[in-house]
Amino acid sequence: MENKAYLNVVQYIKNEIQQDRLRVGNKLPTEREMSAQLGFSRNSIREALRTLSSLGIIESRQGSGNYLSGDVSGFFTESFEMMSLVNQVKPLDISQMRRALELQAFTQITPHISPEHVDQLKETLQLLEESKEEEKSRIDLHFHLQLIELSGNTLMTCTSRALSNSFQSNVENSLRTLSDDKRKQTMQAHHDIISALAGHDLRSGIDAINAHYDIVDSLIRESGL
């Protein structure tokens, strides 16, 4: 019965979206209203909504209700982490996927990048340079996520955010083991990425991204992960 209630709630939400009665950010009907419409107990509806919340399809706000969410990166993160635990996905796999997404995003945004967006990346890079050691991995991941977000591709952004969440501990370990020379090279790669964007230079940007991820991948291989 619980599974049937879940499937009916999912179908109900799909129908509401298809009929343009529900959009991202909109509040869903109450549990009582959905119970009356779908013919299931409030407990069954509540459990179904909890499942959808864990998947990132809806967002539950305390004291306010349930809202349709456009961010399923939480679900992707859990999936990647579970796959990592059972050795179906390795840190190098995640790094290679992040590289591919970033190269694609860079290709899309380079021709029309605005000075304002370049300035935003420069601000993040300055924060990275000035940050304490324990903050560097978070800011580094944010820098790369910003590039993906500029593509305007929601799926790429959600996937990249999930990969970054799954990869953060590896980034932290990599940054701690970086030699001074490698640290300078990675920082230079970040500067080169920004310079290439500002100059709408696709080739240089691709080279800079590859230089950055070549260092990351070599550290992963050396660690044996």
Side-chain angles (χ1 to χ4, degrees), residues 92-129:
L92 185 59
D93 299 331
I94 294 177
S95 179
Q96 290 172 343
M97 178 60 78
R98 292 180 67 227
R99 183 201 294 247
L101 288 170
E102 196 163 321
L103 287 170
Q104 179 59 35
F106 191 90
T107 300
Q108 291 179 211
I109 65 179
T110 297
H112 54 76
I113 188 75
S114 70
E116 292 77 18
H117 287 148
V118 172
D119 287 342
Q120 290 172 12
L121 289 166
K122 286 180 178 178
E123 290 174 6
T124 302
L125 182 54
Q126 184 174 352
L127 283 175
L128 178 60
E129 291 179 315

Side-chain angles (χ1 to χ4, degrees), residues 78-93:
E78 292 295 331
S79 299
F80 292 141
E81 289 180 351
M82 182 61 71
M83 292 173 73
S84 296
L85 288 172
V86 297
N87 292 321
Q88 287 188 321
V89 170
K90 293 179 169 49
L92 185 59
D93 299 331

